[in-house]
Amino acid sequence: MDAATLTYDTLRFGEVEDFPETEEPVWLLGVEYSALTEKEDILSDVTSRLWFTYRRNFPAIGGTGPTSDTGWGCMLRCGQMIFAQALVCRHLGRDWRWEKGKKHKSDYFNILHAFLDRKDSYYSIHQIAQMGVGEGKSIGQWYGPNTVAQVLRKLAAFDTWSSLAVHVAMDNTVVKEEIKRLCCSSSLCGAAAALPDPESDQLYNGYPSGACASDDSLLWKPLVLLIPLRLGLSDINEAYIGTLKHCFMLPHSLGVIGGKPNSAHYFIGYVGEELIYLDPHTTQFSVEATDSCYIPDESFHCVHPPCRMKISDLDPSIAVGFFCKTEEDFEDWCRQMTKISVAKDGLPMFELVEQQPSHFSNPDVLSLTPDFSDTDKLERFFDSEDEDFEILSL
């Protein structure tokens, strides 16, 4: 299995084309580039995104479970990538750049620590897989975008260092009132939460230790907004493509997680009619921290030209991400999304409303929400009431 995977991975990278010579603008997470004059800047930006791939030889998940996520962890890794981008924006800023051999801030290594393949890291493959059990996913089972969004929301509650407000907007609707209530919590600091040990009742203190990043004088928790969507039946509806492109143009963009059935990618931008993405389907050895201040980090940055695929080939089941560090950022995002929704070059992908519609269920009550991962599941959803629903708490 490993030998076959490594051969496949090597060929995969060998087939990656250099970036196209085109006059079309290149958009990467809210930043516009020229492919003709700013190719090095494009590659620097892509390389600076944290790249999480399959790993092997990490401690067994649950003590006796798998020691590699090859073949099943691609959506989990994509969830790590979109959330890592939120942490980069939160602690380092969108303009931060990684350079090989350069000495980086401790905050950068703190972010990496949060994603290491170990049970006491906030967003490790161990924590995501174990938390997914509560969402009806056994360890080793493939996730959909909705499931990974819900799991990351729950895990973020333990990350008091980042002190994020994570909202997963359901039913294709973003309710401003709900988000403001979440971000303007009266108790923003408080005692540090402890990360649950998946193998016992023991609790781990989250890394890094120290005071909470927020204090009681702050009125807004930085927002990570994840919106699971279905943009068609078996194929993406072309009417949504223009709106999807606009999302990558917003300065608040965290990108999109999705891909093809059972093959997930992290999409960070587009050029022309192609999406630009980071691909988790490469198996690398697990990385251990050498000490509390340094991690061998080269394998967390993809130095190859970015992968591309036709937008029309995108599976319609996706999750779109945005980051709003301040309340002003959120208000700006709302204004821009309103403009996009009335534009003539695409259908709105979701609805933005002031208050929760009366026909919505209580957000504190469990709701049945389908998480489609492929066409077969979609067909079964209309025919069955069994396993195609996931019971997810809001």
Side-chain angles (χ1 to χ4, degrees), residues 30-42:
V31 180
E32 182 180 9
Y33 294 101
S34 166
L36 299 177
T37 62
E38 298 177 295
K39 187 171 292 187
E40 288 188 5
D41 292 331
I42 293 171

Side-chain angles (χ1 to χ4, degrees), residues 273-320:
E273 299 305 313
E274 292 184 317
L275 293 171
I276 301 167
Y277 66 93
L278 293 177
D279 191 345
H281 298 90
T282 295
T283 302
Q284 305 184 84
F285 282 103
S286 182
V287 171
E288 289 287 339
T290 57
D291 56 49
S292 61
C293 299
Y294 177 74
I295 300 170
D297 65 337
E298 290 185 24
S299 65
F300 294 105
H301 298 274
C302 184
V303 297
H304 306 277
C307 301
R308 306 190 309 278
M309 65 174 276
K310 293 180 180 178
I311 301 178
S312 58
D313 291 339
L314 180 68
D315 186 89
S317 182
I318 65 172
V320 184

Side-chain angles (χ1 to χ4, degrees), residues 191-212:
L195 192 63
D197 179 359
E199 300 167 25
S200 70
D201 295 330
Q202 195 176 2
L203 293 178
Y204 283 91
N205 290 325
Y207 182 90
S209 60
C212 177

Side-chain angles (χ1 to χ4, degrees), residues 100-254:
K100 181 179 178 180
K102 179 182 177 181
K103 185 176 181 180
H104 293 285
K105 296 180 179 179
S106 60
D107 282 353
Y108 163 69
F109 290 108
N110 289 345
I111 293 172
L112 278 184
H113 263 281
F115 295 91
L116 290 182
D117 301 318
R118 43 192 276 182
K119 63 182 181 181
D120 56 343
S121 293
Y122 294 131
Y123 311 106
S124 66
I125 193 78
H126 298 66
Q127 288 291 341
I128 296 176
Q130 288 288 111
M131 187 69 76
V133 173
E135 302 294 345
K137 295 289 187 180
S138 60
I139 296 174
Q141 187 177 357
W142 202 86
Y143 282 29
N146 181 29
T147 301
V148 77
Q150 296 287 353
V151 168
L152 289 167
R153 176 183 65 85
K154 291 183 176 181
L155 290 175
F158 302 100
D159 182 5
T160 53
W161 174 60
S162 298
S163 189
L164 297 170
V166 181
H167 181 72
V168 180
M170 302 305 297
D171 301 310
N172 299 340
T173 305
V174 177
V175 183
K176 293 177 65 176
E177 182 183 59
E178 289 182 1
I179 291 175
K180 288 189 174 183
R181 184 168 60 245
L182 176 68
C183 294
C184 298
S185 171
S186 59
S187 178
L188 297 185
C189 193
L195 192 63
D197 179 359
E199 300 167 25
S200 70
D201 295 330
Q202 195 176 2
L203 293 178
Y204 283 91
N205 290 325
Y207 182 90
S209 60
C212 177
S214 300
D215 60 63
D216 293 329
S217 65
L218 299 181
L219 299 177
W220 180 269
K221 266 187 167 182
L223 169 69
V224 176
L225 175 59
L226 300 173
I227 312 174
L229 299 167
R230 182 92 194 174
L231 304 181
L233 296 177
S234 59
D235 300 299
I236 186 171
N237 187 331
E238 292 185 359
Y240 292 114
I241 290 178
T243 309
L244 181 62
K245 287 182 176 181
H246 276 296
C247 289
F248 290 109
M249 300 166 66
L250 298 179
H252 324 83
S253 176
L254 293 176

